[in-house]
Amino acid sequence: MATHRFHPIRYYNAIGTAEPCLRVADGDTVVTDTVDASGLDASEVAVASRPNPMTGPFYVEGAEPGDTLTVHIDRLTPSRATGWTNSPLALTVLDPAAILDRPPTQRVVWDIDGKAGSVRLQEPVKGLESFSPPLQPMIGCFGVAPAGGQALSTATSAQNGGNMDYRLFAPGTTAWFPVSVPGALFYLGDGHACQGDGEIVGTGIETSFEMEVTFRVLKRRILWPRGETADDIFTVGNARPLDQALQHATTEMMRWLGEDYGLDARAASHLMGQVVRYDVGNVFNPAYTVACRIAKRWLTKP
């Protein structure tokens, strides 16, 4: 098991089958840089549009279609002391009548204080002079190449992952992705210093990061992204409308409970019906994201 330090010189706005930037072995760790769109000039991006530039793809030896790639998020360290967000609230989260009174879009800068572990508006607005939420780094967009030689925009998400903007994709979490091409071809980027549920202003606090992740290949098949923290397991559905994303996440959780915890459909329904929690990853992008989450204290492996 080795640790690789990779400095990208090229970024991608689609997750697909580009030539690998680095080949790594099962069990290896990668430390690499990611950037937000404001940190690039046009020559550094592989395509003309600029949503969520990705670092990668990383080819993981031994990963084959039908396998699962797990990605443990070891560390997310902001690499500059500022980030940015947009306002006001996105059109997708407002009543139609409220859209008429919606102010123009405005970008603002936030100061990121790594030592204090907090973020703060660089120019406070009235009523938020003392507002300083905690620094809570997360990965907004990451995943593996989709099936069929496709390339999916990093503005959206699907079974391969992508722009899910789910707050639990944070340090200490292990993310699982279904492998559809040899080597998995893993991409990551879109780091947020902080973000509320839903990404309801269309951004988190976007900034550049140094990210450290560790790869493992599992010889098992999953259909949708999964994740595990110290306290919970969760499954992720990406689709639009929102109820379809919820259906994908719920069905994937039912499968997981059967595969690893020995629960048939009826037993899984008893458990899920009482203790499941649903989290909204994003309701801004073309595909919405819903996570189906269960606390580990309710689970016993056979």
Side-chain angles (χ1 to χ4, degrees):
M1 297 180 184
T3 298
H4 307 267
R5 185 68 177 87
F6 177 72
H7 295 285
I9 58 173
R10 183 178 176 89
Y11 302 89
Y12 293 89
N13 293 132
I15 295 177
T17 54
E19 285 297 312
C21 67
L22 182 70
R23 288 177 175 256
V24 302
D26 181 8
D28 283 2
T29 296
V30 169
V31 180
T32 192
D33 305 310
T34 66
V35 296
D36 59 288
S38 68
L40 296 178
D41 61 49
S43 65
E44 293 177 295
V45 187
V47 296
S49 60
R50 292 170 53 176
N52 298 331
M54 294 286 104
T55 298
F58 298 95
Y59 187 106
V60 183
E61 301 287 354
E64 297 293 339
D67 292 345
T68 294
L69 180 70
T70 75
V71 182
H72 186 265
I73 305 171
D74 302 317
R75 177 173 57 86
L76 303 176
T77 305
S79 53
R80 68 172 194 264
T82 60
W84 58 273
T85 61
N86 286 333
S87 67
L89 293 174
L91 300 175
T92 51
V93 302
L94 293 172
D95 287 334
I99 292 173
L100 296 175
D101 299 322
R102 184 175 175 267
T105 299
Q106 181 183 66
R107 178 174 293 190
V108 296
V109 176
W110 297 71
D111 290 324
I112 300 170
D113 189 334
K115 188 173 182 179
S118 62
V119 296
R120 185 184 293 270
L121 282 165
Q122 197 168 81
E123 298 181 5
V125 298
K126 184 178 180 181
L128 297 180
E129 291 84 357
S130 61
F131 179 57
S132 184
L135 173 62
Q136 294 180 317
M138 55 167 284
I139 303 179
C141 186
F142 66 148
V144 295
Q150 300 178 80
L152 297 182
S153 168
T154 58
T156 193
S157 55
Q159 288 179 268
N160 65 306
N163 196 22
M164 297 175 285
D165 295 306
Y166 180 42
R167 292 193 305 112
L168 285 193
F169 286 132
T173 294
T174 300
W176 300 24
F177 296 101
V179 176
S180 297
V181 301
L185 297 183
F186 174 79
Y187 298 71
L188 79 171
D190 189 29
H192 298 171
C194 184
Q195 180 208 287
D197 288 339
E199 200 189 35
I200 60 174
V201 296
T203 69
I205 298 182
E206 311 285 333
T207 193
S208 300
F209 273 86
E210 181 176 86
M211 296 187 178
E212 179 178 331
V213 296
T214 299
F215 301 109
R216 295 304 304 265
V217 176
L218 305 181
K219 294 300 179 179
R220 60 181 296 174
R221 182 171 179 261
I222 64 174
L223 298 184
W224 288 90
R226 299 180 182 182
E228 182 174 0
T229 71
D231 299 320
D232 301 285
I233 65 170
F234 61 87
T235 52
V236 175
N238 302 306
R240 196 163 183 169
L242 195 67
D243 60 348
Q244 187 177 354
L246 184 146
Q247 291 162 5
H248 293 321
T250 304
T251 306
E252 187 71 10
M253 179 60 77
M254 186 174 65
R255 292 191 193 102
W256 197 354
L257 294 176
E259 294 163 359
D260 287 13
Y261 299 95
L263 301 182
D264 64 16
R266 193 174 302 280
S269 72
H270 289 317
L271 176 72
M272 295 172 68
Q274 308 313 315
V275 302
V276 80
R277 299 291 181 264
Y278 287 105
D279 301 328
V280 177
N282 88 78
V283 288
F284 176 76
N285 301 320
Y288 294 158
T289 296
V290 173
C292 178
R293 178 169 53 88
I294 293 177
K296 288 181 177 179
R297 69 179 182 272
W298 302 117
L299 302 172
T300 302
K301 289 194 175 183

